mmCIF file of all heavy atoms in Angstrom:
data_model
loop_
_atom_site.group_PDB
_atom_site.id
_atom_site.type_symbol
_atom_site.label_atom_id
_atom_site.label_comp_id
_atom_site.label_asym_id
_atom_site.label_seq_id
_atom_site.Cartn_x
_atom_site.Cartn_y
_atom_site.Cartn_z
ATOM 1 N N GLN M 1 29.817 21.891 -74.091
ATOM 2 C CA GLN M 1 29.159 22.379 -72.962
ATOM 3 C C GLN M 1 28.486 21.180 -72.124
ATOM 4 O O GLN M 1 28.482 21.051 -70.949
ATOM 5 C CB GLN M 1 28.132 23.402 -73.384
ATOM 6 C CG GLN M 1 27.413 23.973 -72.177
ATOM 7 C CD GLN M 1 28.316 24.880 -71.201
ATOM 8 O OE1 GLN M 1 29.162 25.517 -71.675
ATOM 9 N NE2 GLN M 1 27.989 24.654 -69.891
ATOM 10 N N ALA M 2 27.747 20.445 -73.078
ATOM 11 C CA ALA M 2 27.045 19.264 -72.528
ATOM 12 C C ALA M 2 28.129 18.257 -71.797
ATOM 13 O O ALA M 2 27.754 17.689 -70.622
ATOM 14 C CB ALA M 2 26.319 18.489 -73.586
ATOM 15 N N SER M 3 29.107 18.027 -72.404
ATOM 16 C CA SER M 3 30.212 17.045 -71.768
ATOM 17 C C SER M 3 30.666 17.816 -70.508
ATOM 18 O O SER M 3 30.878 16.992 -69.508
ATOM 19 C CB SER M 3 31.418 17.031 -72.861
ATOM 20 O OG SER M 3 32.420 16.267 -72.228
ATOM 21 N N ALA M 4 30.981 19.072 -70.489
ATOM 22 C CA ALA M 4 31.484 19.727 -69.211
ATOM 23 C C ALA M 4 30.363 19.684 -68.168
ATOM 24 O O ALA M 4 30.703 19.501 -66.994
ATOM 25 C CB ALA M 4 31.816 21.208 -69.595
ATOM 26 N N GLU M 5 29.108 19.698 -68.427
ATOM 27 C CA GLU M 5 28.148 19.636 -67.520
ATOM 28 C C GLU M 5 27.991 18.199 -66.976
ATOM 29 O O GLU M 5 27.674 18.057 -65.796
ATOM 30 C CB GLU M 5 26.689 20.130 -68.002
ATOM 31 C CG GLU M 5 26.799 21.678 -68.067
ATOM 32 C CD GLU M 5 25.503 22.349 -68.761
ATOM 33 O OE1 GLU M 5 24.518 21.468 -69.038
ATOM 34 O OE2 GLU M 5 25.438 23.480 -69.031
ATOM 35 N N ARG M 6 28.124 17.264 -67.771
ATOM 36 C CA ARG M 6 28.078 15.869 -67.448
ATOM 37 C C ARG M 6 29.221 15.590 -66.332
ATOM 38 O O ARG M 6 29.158 14.839 -65.426
ATOM 39 C CB ARG M 6 28.152 15.009 -68.601
ATOM 40 C CG ARG M 6 26.772 14.602 -69.171
ATOM 41 C CD ARG M 6 26.836 13.459 -70.263
ATOM 42 N NE ARG M 6 27.925 13.680 -71.182
ATOM 43 C CZ ARG M 6 27.764 14.164 -72.320
ATOM 44 N NH1 ARG M 6 26.630 14.774 -72.739
ATOM 45 N NH2 ARG M 6 28.766 14.254 -73.231
ATOM 46 N N ASP M 7 30.350 16.164 -66.786
ATOM 47 C CA ASP M 7 31.554 16.007 -65.870
ATOM 48 C C ASP M 7 31.513 16.652 -64.638
ATOM 49 O O ASP M 7 32.074 16.366 -63.693
ATOM 50 C CB ASP M 7 32.853 16.382 -66.697
ATOM 51 C CG ASP M 7 33.146 15.471 -67.837
ATOM 52 O OD1 ASP M 7 32.638 14.462 -67.890
ATOM 53 O OD2 ASP M 7 33.913 15.904 -68.730
ATOM 54 N N ASP M 8 30.751 17.856 -64.561
ATOM 55 C CA ASP M 8 30.692 18.614 -63.398
ATOM 56 C C ASP M 8 29.345 18.359 -62.722
ATOM 57 O O ASP M 8 28.377 18.920 -63.031
ATOM 58 C CB ASP M 8 30.694 20.159 -63.823
ATOM 59 C CG ASP M 8 30.731 21.115 -62.533
ATOM 60 O OD1 ASP M 8 30.615 20.548 -61.452
ATOM 61 O OD2 ASP M 8 30.678 22.325 -62.717
ATOM 62 N N ARG M 9 29.476 17.622 -61.588
ATOM 63 C CA ARG M 9 28.273 17.046 -60.947
ATOM 64 C C ARG M 9 27.512 18.213 -60.203
ATOM 65 O O ARG M 9 26.390 18.142 -59.778
ATOM 66 C CB ARG M 9 28.509 15.955 -60.000
ATOM 67 C CG ARG M 9 29.027 14.716 -60.777
ATOM 68 C CD ARG M 9 29.495 13.731 -59.718
ATOM 69 N NE ARG M 9 28.518 13.204 -58.953
ATOM 70 C CZ ARG M 9 27.950 11.993 -58.983
ATOM 71 N NH1 ARG M 9 28.225 11.343 -60.091
ATOM 72 N NH2 ARG M 9 27.106 11.661 -58.284
ATOM 73 N N SER M 10 28.196 19.375 -60.070
ATOM 74 C CA SER M 10 27.543 20.432 -59.404
ATOM 75 C C SER M 10 26.718 21.196 -60.284
ATOM 76 O O SER M 10 25.826 22.060 -59.714
ATOM 77 C CB SER M 10 28.673 21.545 -58.837
ATOM 78 O OG SER M 10 29.364 22.128 -59.932
ATOM 79 N N VAL M 11 26.653 20.995 -61.622
ATOM 80 C CA VAL M 11 25.778 21.627 -62.482
ATOM 81 C C VAL M 11 24.482 20.657 -62.715
ATOM 82 O O VAL M 11 24.806 19.675 -63.294
ATOM 83 C CB VAL M 11 26.340 21.899 -63.842
ATOM 84 C CG1 VAL M 11 25.357 22.565 -64.798
ATOM 85 C CG2 VAL M 11 27.552 22.895 -63.687
ATOM 86 N N LEU M 12 23.452 21.046 -62.148
ATOM 87 C CA LEU M 12 22.252 20.144 -62.218
ATOM 88 C C LEU M 12 21.223 20.634 -63.051
ATOM 89 O O LEU M 12 20.884 21.762 -63.098
ATOM 90 C CB LEU M 12 21.641 19.926 -60.704
ATOM 91 C CG LEU M 12 22.570 19.263 -59.763
ATOM 92 C CD1 LEU M 12 21.834 19.290 -58.362
ATOM 93 C CD2 LEU M 12 23.088 17.911 -60.158
ATOM 94 N N ASP M 13 20.625 19.754 -63.916
ATOM 95 C CA ASP M 13 19.559 20.123 -64.753
ATOM 96 C C ASP M 13 18.316 19.809 -63.976
ATOM 97 O O ASP M 13 18.158 18.430 -63.617
ATOM 98 C CB ASP M 13 19.742 19.333 -66.094
ATOM 99 C CG ASP M 13 18.606 19.694 -67.000
ATOM 100 O OD1 ASP M 13 17.487 20.234 -66.647
ATOM 101 O OD2 ASP M 13 18.827 19.238 -68.134
ATOM 102 N N PRO M 14 17.339 20.611 -63.798
ATOM 103 C CA PRO M 14 16.174 20.243 -63.069
ATOM 104 C C PRO M 14 15.236 19.163 -63.706
ATOM 105 O O PRO M 14 14.531 18.428 -63.093
ATOM 106 C CB PRO M 14 15.347 21.512 -63.027
ATOM 107 C CG PRO M 14 16.023 22.603 -63.900
ATOM 108 C CD PRO M 14 17.413 22.047 -64.287
ATOM 109 N N ALA M 15 15.567 18.880 -65.000
ATOM 110 C CA ALA M 15 14.884 17.821 -65.631
ATOM 111 C C ALA M 15 15.514 16.498 -65.485
ATOM 112 O O ALA M 15 14.776 15.463 -65.786
ATOM 113 C CB ALA M 15 14.850 18.162 -67.242
ATOM 114 N N VAL M 16 16.570 16.409 -64.911
ATOM 115 C CA VAL M 16 17.253 15.126 -64.622
ATOM 116 C C VAL M 16 16.970 14.603 -63.174
ATOM 117 O O VAL M 16 17.240 15.514 -62.252
ATOM 118 C CB VAL M 16 18.865 15.312 -64.805
ATOM 119 C CG1 VAL M 16 19.471 13.995 -64.528
ATOM 120 C CG2 VAL M 16 19.139 15.587 -66.227
ATOM 121 N N PRO M 17 16.399 13.462 -62.916
ATOM 122 C CA PRO M 17 16.207 13.068 -61.607
ATOM 123 C C PRO M 17 17.543 13.000 -60.679
ATOM 124 O O PRO M 17 18.615 12.627 -61.232
ATOM 125 C CB PRO M 17 15.615 11.544 -61.831
ATOM 126 C CG PRO M 17 15.353 11.547 -63.189
ATOM 127 C CD PRO M 17 16.121 12.486 -63.933
ATOM 128 N N LEU M 18 17.330 13.586 -59.508
ATOM 129 C CA LEU M 18 18.475 13.511 -58.620
ATOM 130 C C LEU M 18 19.141 12.155 -58.420
ATOM 131 O O LEU M 18 20.256 12.096 -58.075
ATOM 132 C CB LEU M 18 18.134 14.349 -57.248
ATOM 133 C CG LEU M 18 17.890 15.820 -57.443
ATOM 134 C CD1 LEU M 18 17.531 16.376 -56.102
ATOM 135 C CD2 LEU M 18 19.143 16.533 -57.947
ATOM 136 N N SER M 19 18.302 11.180 -58.427
ATOM 137 C CA SER M 19 18.892 9.861 -58.128
ATOM 138 C C SER M 19 19.936 9.415 -59.228
ATOM 139 O O SER M 19 20.717 8.644 -58.809
ATOM 140 C CB SER M 19 17.591 8.795 -58.287
ATOM 141 O OG SER M 19 17.055 8.796 -59.567
ATOM 142 N N LEU M 20 19.970 10.051 -60.433
ATOM 143 C CA LEU M 20 21.073 9.745 -61.217
ATOM 144 C C LEU M 20 22.362 10.232 -60.766
ATOM 145 O O LEU M 20 23.494 9.780 -61.190
ATOM 146 C CB LEU M 20 20.705 10.416 -62.737
ATOM 147 C CG LEU M 20 19.593 9.863 -63.396
ATOM 148 C CD1 LEU M 20 19.327 10.644 -64.685
ATOM 149 C CD2 LEU M 20 19.829 8.320 -63.733
ATOM 150 N N PHE M 21 22.458 11.283 -59.857
ATOM 151 C CA PHE M 21 23.630 11.828 -59.384
ATOM 152 C C PHE M 21 24.049 11.181 -57.909
ATOM 153 O O PHE M 21 25.014 11.515 -57.471
ATOM 154 C CB PHE M 21 23.460 13.257 -59.162
ATOM 155 C CG PHE M 21 23.317 13.962 -60.297
ATOM 156 C CD1 PHE M 21 22.118 14.433 -60.790
ATOM 157 C CD2 PHE M 21 24.300 14.353 -61.140
ATOM 158 C CE1 PHE M 21 21.858 15.077 -62.072
ATOM 159 C CE2 PHE M 21 24.355 14.895 -62.280
ATOM 160 C CZ PHE M 21 23.033 15.374 -62.724
ATOM 161 N N ASP M 22 23.408 10.213 -57.459
ATOM 162 C CA ASP M 22 23.410 9.668 -56.147
ATOM 163 C C ASP M 22 24.358 8.566 -56.256
ATOM 164 O O ASP M 22 24.092 7.483 -56.941
ATOM 165 C CB ASP M 22 22.112 9.325 -55.428
ATOM 166 C CG ASP M 22 22.266 8.926 -54.022
ATOM 167 O OD1 ASP M 22 23.380 9.028 -53.402
ATOM 168 O OD2 ASP M 22 21.347 8.289 -53.486
ATOM 169 N N ASP M 23 25.536 8.483 -55.638
ATOM 170 C CA ASP M 23 26.524 7.434 -55.659
ATOM 171 C C ASP M 23 26.257 6.423 -54.544
ATOM 172 O O ASP M 23 26.887 5.272 -54.514
ATOM 173 C CB ASP M 23 27.856 7.919 -55.579
ATOM 174 C CG ASP M 23 28.415 8.482 -56.859
ATOM 175 O OD1 ASP M 23 27.871 8.258 -57.819
ATOM 176 O OD2 ASP M 23 29.491 9.395 -56.652
ATOM 177 N N THR M 24 25.423 6.638 -53.550
ATOM 178 C CA THR M 24 25.232 5.724 -52.467
ATOM 179 C C THR M 24 24.061 4.952 -52.764
ATOM 180 O O THR M 24 23.185 5.068 -53.576
ATOM 181 C CB THR M 24 24.782 6.595 -51.130
ATOM 182 O OG1 THR M 24 23.623 7.323 -51.440
ATOM 183 C CG2 THR M 24 25.930 7.463 -51.001
ATOM 184 N N THR M 25 24.048 3.762 -52.106
ATOM 185 C CA THR M 25 22.783 2.846 -52.183
ATOM 186 C C THR M 25 21.982 3.261 -50.979
ATOM 187 O O THR M 25 22.391 3.815 -50.023
ATOM 188 C CB THR M 25 23.339 1.332 -52.140
ATOM 189 O OG1 THR M 25 23.960 1.198 -50.826
ATOM 190 C CG2 THR M 25 24.331 1.104 -53.266
ATOM 191 N N GLU M 26 20.947 2.581 -50.927
ATOM 192 C CA GLU M 26 19.997 2.782 -49.768
ATOM 193 C C GLU M 26 20.611 2.229 -48.478
ATOM 194 O O GLU M 26 20.457 2.908 -47.472
ATOM 195 C CB GLU M 26 18.675 1.978 -50.030
ATOM 196 C CG GLU M 26 17.860 2.637 -51.047
ATOM 197 C CD GLU M 26 16.440 2.063 -51.269
ATOM 198 O OE1 GLU M 26 15.964 1.438 -50.296
ATOM 199 O OE2 GLU M 26 15.987 2.092 -52.412
ATOM 200 N N SER M 27 21.405 1.116 -48.511
ATOM 201 C CA SER M 27 21.943 0.491 -47.370
ATOM 202 C C SER M 27 23.075 1.514 -46.847
ATOM 203 O O SER M 27 23.366 1.647 -45.552
ATOM 204 C CB SER M 27 22.565 -0.850 -47.532
ATOM 205 O OG SER M 27 23.525 -0.730 -48.660
ATOM 206 N N ASP M 28 23.749 2.221 -47.792
ATOM 207 C CA ASP M 28 24.812 3.105 -47.376
ATOM 208 C C ASP M 28 23.938 4.357 -46.641
ATOM 209 O O ASP M 28 24.585 4.899 -45.684
ATOM 210 C CB ASP M 28 25.489 3.785 -48.654
ATOM 211 C CG ASP M 28 26.342 2.855 -49.239
ATOM 212 O OD1 ASP M 28 26.754 1.861 -48.709
ATOM 213 O OD2 ASP M 28 26.717 3.058 -50.486
ATOM 214 N N ASP M 29 22.873 4.816 -47.160
ATOM 215 C CA ASP M 29 22.146 5.943 -46.480
ATOM 216 C C ASP M 29 21.755 5.545 -45.017
ATOM 217 O O ASP M 29 21.892 6.395 -44.105
ATOM 218 C CB ASP M 29 20.918 6.239 -47.268
ATOM 219 C CG ASP M 29 21.232 7.015 -48.588
ATOM 220 O OD1 ASP M 29 22.471 7.535 -48.644
ATOM 221 O OD2 ASP M 29 20.367 7.028 -49.459
ATOM 222 N N GLU M 30 21.335 4.263 -44.895
ATOM 223 C CA GLU M 30 20.899 3.799 -43.480
ATOM 224 C C GLU M 30 22.017 3.830 -42.604
ATOM 225 O O GLU M 30 21.998 4.202 -41.461
ATOM 226 C CB GLU M 30 20.279 2.394 -43.683
ATOM 227 C CG GLU M 30 18.924 2.464 -44.360
ATOM 228 C CD GLU M 30 18.404 1.047 -44.598
ATOM 229 O OE1 GLU M 30 18.976 0.160 -44.178
ATOM 230 O OE2 GLU M 30 17.370 1.013 -45.318
ATOM 231 N N ASP M 31 23.202 3.362 -43.142
ATOM 232 C CA ASP M 31 24.499 3.256 -42.290
ATOM 233 C C ASP M 31 24.878 4.648 -41.903
ATOM 234 O O ASP M 31 25.326 4.943 -40.800
ATOM 235 C CB ASP M 31 25.595 2.498 -43.057
ATOM 236 C CG ASP M 31 25.397 1.142 -43.212
ATOM 237 O OD1 ASP M 31 24.632 0.564 -42.486
ATOM 238 O OD2 ASP M 31 26.032 0.551 -44.078
ATOM 239 N N ASP M 32 24.755 5.699 -42.792
ATOM 240 C CA ASP M 32 25.241 7.011 -42.423
ATOM 241 C C ASP M 32 24.407 7.669 -41.313
ATOM 242 O O ASP M 32 24.900 8.562 -40.728
ATOM 243 C CB ASP M 32 25.165 7.921 -43.773
ATOM 244 C CG ASP M 32 26.293 7.544 -44.764
ATOM 245 O OD1 ASP M 32 27.143 6.822 -44.355
ATOM 246 O OD2 ASP M 32 25.973 7.908 -45.962
ATOM 247 N N HIS M 33 23.255 7.229 -41.109
ATOM 248 C CA HIS M 33 22.372 7.971 -40.335
ATOM 249 C C HIS M 33 22.069 7.137 -39.036
ATOM 250 O O HIS M 33 21.340 7.663 -38.148
ATOM 251 C CB HIS M 33 20.904 8.288 -40.961
ATOM 252 C CG HIS M 33 21.140 9.288 -42.086
ATOM 253 N ND1 HIS M 33 21.566 10.514 -42.032
ATOM 254 C CD2 HIS M 33 21.025 8.868 -43.445
ATOM 255 C CE1 HIS M 33 21.645 11.086 -43.229
ATOM 256 N NE2 HIS M 33 21.289 10.014 -44.188
ATOM 257 N N GLY M 34 22.619 6.002 -38.870
ATOM 258 C CA GLY M 34 22.219 5.206 -37.713
ATOM 259 C C GLY M 34 22.401 5.861 -36.429
ATOM 260 O O GLY M 34 21.434 6.348 -35.935
ATOM 261 N N ASP M 35 23.496 5.730 -35.688
ATOM 262 C CA ASP M 35 23.698 6.176 -34.299
ATOM 263 C C ASP M 35 24.076 7.661 -34.336
ATOM 264 O O ASP M 35 24.136 8.252 -33.294
ATOM 265 C CB ASP M 35 24.750 5.541 -33.609
ATOM 266 C CG ASP M 35 24.504 3.960 -33.579
ATOM 267 O OD1 ASP M 35 23.235 3.776 -33.333
ATOM 268 O OD2 ASP M 35 25.376 3.100 -33.578
ATOM 269 N N ASN M 36 24.194 8.320 -35.479
ATOM 270 C CA ASN M 36 24.685 9.646 -35.481
ATOM 271 C C ASN M 36 23.488 10.731 -35.692
ATOM 272 O O ASN M 36 23.731 11.876 -35.905
ATOM 273 C CB ASN M 36 25.641 9.961 -36.634
ATOM 274 C CG ASN M 36 26.889 9.152 -36.328
ATOM 275 O OD1 ASN M 36 27.377 8.917 -35.202
ATOM 276 N ND2 ASN M 36 27.552 8.789 -37.423
ATOM 277 N N GLU M 37 22.279 10.382 -35.605
ATOM 278 C CA GLU M 37 21.211 11.169 -35.753
ATOM 279 C C GLU M 37 21.077 12.272 -34.622
ATOM 280 O O GLU M 37 21.269 11.888 -33.345
ATOM 281 C CB GLU M 37 19.840 10.406 -35.878
ATOM 282 C CG GLU M 37 19.622 9.997 -37.293
ATOM 283 C CD GLU M 37 18.223 9.512 -37.499
ATOM 284 O OE1 GLU M 37 17.302 10.214 -36.999
ATOM 285 O OE2 GLU M 37 17.892 8.548 -38.132
ATOM 286 N N PHE M 38 20.905 13.522 -34.872
ATOM 287 C CA PHE M 38 20.670 14.517 -33.868
ATOM 288 C C PHE M 38 19.314 15.019 -33.836
ATOM 289 O O PHE M 38 18.648 15.049 -34.928
ATOM 290 C CB PHE M 38 21.646 15.744 -34.159
ATOM 291 C CG PHE M 38 23.097 15.420 -34.126
ATOM 292 C CD1 PHE M 38 23.884 15.258 -35.263
ATOM 293 C CD2 PHE M 38 23.828 15.216 -32.874
ATOM 294 C CE1 PHE M 38 25.264 14.937 -35.159
ATOM 295 C CE2 PHE M 38 25.054 14.952 -32.792
ATOM 296 C CZ PHE M 38 25.789 14.780 -33.951
#
């Protein structure tokens, strides 16, 4: 069960910081929001 939950990123444990699930870097985030902000 633990292995399945680690493999399934849609199952989040509230005790685990969300940053552990983030594959982007801060620079990636900035690029994503540059000229496309609404």
Side-chain angles (χ1 to χ4, degrees):
Q1 182 67 39
S3 176
E5 288 177 5
R6 276 191 306 273
D7 294 343
D8 183 3
R9 295 172 65 104
S10 68
V11 178
L12 297 179
D13 181 348
V16 177
L18 289 177
S19 61
L20 293 178
F21 294 98
D22 188 11
D23 286 337
T24 62
T25 63
E26 287 183 29
S27 62
D28 290 339
D29 288 342
E30 291 169 8
D31 292 340
D32 289 343
H33 300 294
D35 297 328
N36 295 332
E37 276 194 40
F38 295 105

